[in-house]
């Protein structure tokens, strides 16, 4: 079965994988690595460990475009997922965006979207990875085919959304481009309305 991966390889407004700085960093990360999984693991580790999560570090500016995230070294989970997708695409590896709906605190409401990635690996197929950045209680890793995401889906209103998006959702872009500080974004995190689960 041949699948058209073109939408998951394309450079776009927010996943600007053709940006010279993104291409250069992608090439650095891929140097000497053998196979798509090895390259993907390096890209994942770089974004998880070297790009600060905006809220964890209370670091401005608010970033959205992959090249901005790379330039400033900071981003919310959504922005970090844009950079990871761009680095993977720049290396010719299909990558998309995924979302979870999670409680903002221990339990909701309120709820918000959480951004992560799916990468297509030749040996394993689509595999979800979460480069939001580890901290106490969060230990995401690249261990295909086993997923090790940052957050489990626990509450009844929380969801693993199954789609793999080629571009960020409009409400994510609105949150990241409509507010000028990390604190303002935190007060206006994106969400989606969920249909009730049928018993």
């Amino acid at each position: 079965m041949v699948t058209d991966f073109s939408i998951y390889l394309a450079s776009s407004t927010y996943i600007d994988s053709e940006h010279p700085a993104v291409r250069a960093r992608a090439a650095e990360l891929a140097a000497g690595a053998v196979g798509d999984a090895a390259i993907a693991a390096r890209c994942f580790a770089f974004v998880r460990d070297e790009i600060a999560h905006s809220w964890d570090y209370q670091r401005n500016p608010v970033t959205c475009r992959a090249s901005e995230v790379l330039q400033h070294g900071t981003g919310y989970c959504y922005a970090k997922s844009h950079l990871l997708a761009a680095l993977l695409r720049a290396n010719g590896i299909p990558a998309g965006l995924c979302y979870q709906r999670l409680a903002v605190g221990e339990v909701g409401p309120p709820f918000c979207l959480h951004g992560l990635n799916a990468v297509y690996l030749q040996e394993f197929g689509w595999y979800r990875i979460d480069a939001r950045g580890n901290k106490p209680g969060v230990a995401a890793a690249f261990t295909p085919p086993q997923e090790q995401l940052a957050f489990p889906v626990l509450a009844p209103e929380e969801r693993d959304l199954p789609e793999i998006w080629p571009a960020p959702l409009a409400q994510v872009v609105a949150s990241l481009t409509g507010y000028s500080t990390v604190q303002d974004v935190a007060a206006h995190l994106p969400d989606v309305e969920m249909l009730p689960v049928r018993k």
Side-chain angles (χ1 to χ4, degrees):
M1 182 179 76
V2 177
T3 305
D4 180 8
F5 290 113
S6 59
I7 59 171
Y8 297 110
L9 288 165
S11 186
S12 58
T13 302
Y14 297 105
I15 304 177
D16 52 344
S17 54
E18 291 295 330
H19 189 282
V22 174
R23 290 184 64 82
R25 181 52 59 93
E28 285 175 23
L29 291 166
V34 178
D36 60 349
I39 295 169
R42 286 187 182 180
C43 293
F44 167 80
F46 168 74
V47 176
R48 183 192 64 186
D49 300 338
E50 303 299 326
I51 304 296
H53 187 282
S54 298
W55 184 254
D56 289 356
Y57 289 85
Q58 295 292 295
R59 185 177 296 176
N60 287 306
V62 177
T63 55
C64 186
R65 200 182 304 261
S67 56
E68 295 174 341
V69 182
L70 183 61
Q71 177 188 350
H72 296 290
T74 188
Y76 266 95
C77 58
Y78 324 104
K80 293 184 69 166
S81 73
H82 303 167
L83 175 58
L84 181 51
L87 292 169
L88 292 166
R89 292 181 187 186
N91 278 311
I93 300 171
L97 307 175
C98 297
Y99 299 96
Q100 294 173 313
R101 185 183 195 239
L102 302 172
V104 173
E106 291 298 312
V107 295
F111 295 91
C112 69
L113 291 175
H114 169 61
L116 55 149
N117 294 89
V119 57
Y120 190 86
L121 302 174
Q122 292 174 16
E123 186 178 352
F124 303 107
W126 284 111
Y127 173 64
R128 289 191 308 168
I129 47 178
D130 191 339
R132 64 102 37 223
N134 288 344
K135 61 180 184 177
V138 175
F142 185 94
T143 54
Q146 187 70 37
E147 280 186 359
Q148 191 170 330
L149 303 180
F151 303 112
V153 170
L154 299 173
E157 299 94 337
E158 294 185 334
R159 298 282 195 283
D160 264 324
L161 305 182
E163 298 86 359
I164 301 173
W165 299 89
L169 295 180
Q171 60 266 50
V172 168
V173 172
S175 290
L176 295 180
T177 61
Y179 301 98
S180 59
T181 70
V182 166
Q183 294 75 18
D184 285 340
V185 173
H188 300 90
L189 292 170
D191 191 15
V192 289
E193 199 166 326
M194 303 301 301
L195 295 172
V197 175
R198 294 188 175 184
K199 302 276 182 178

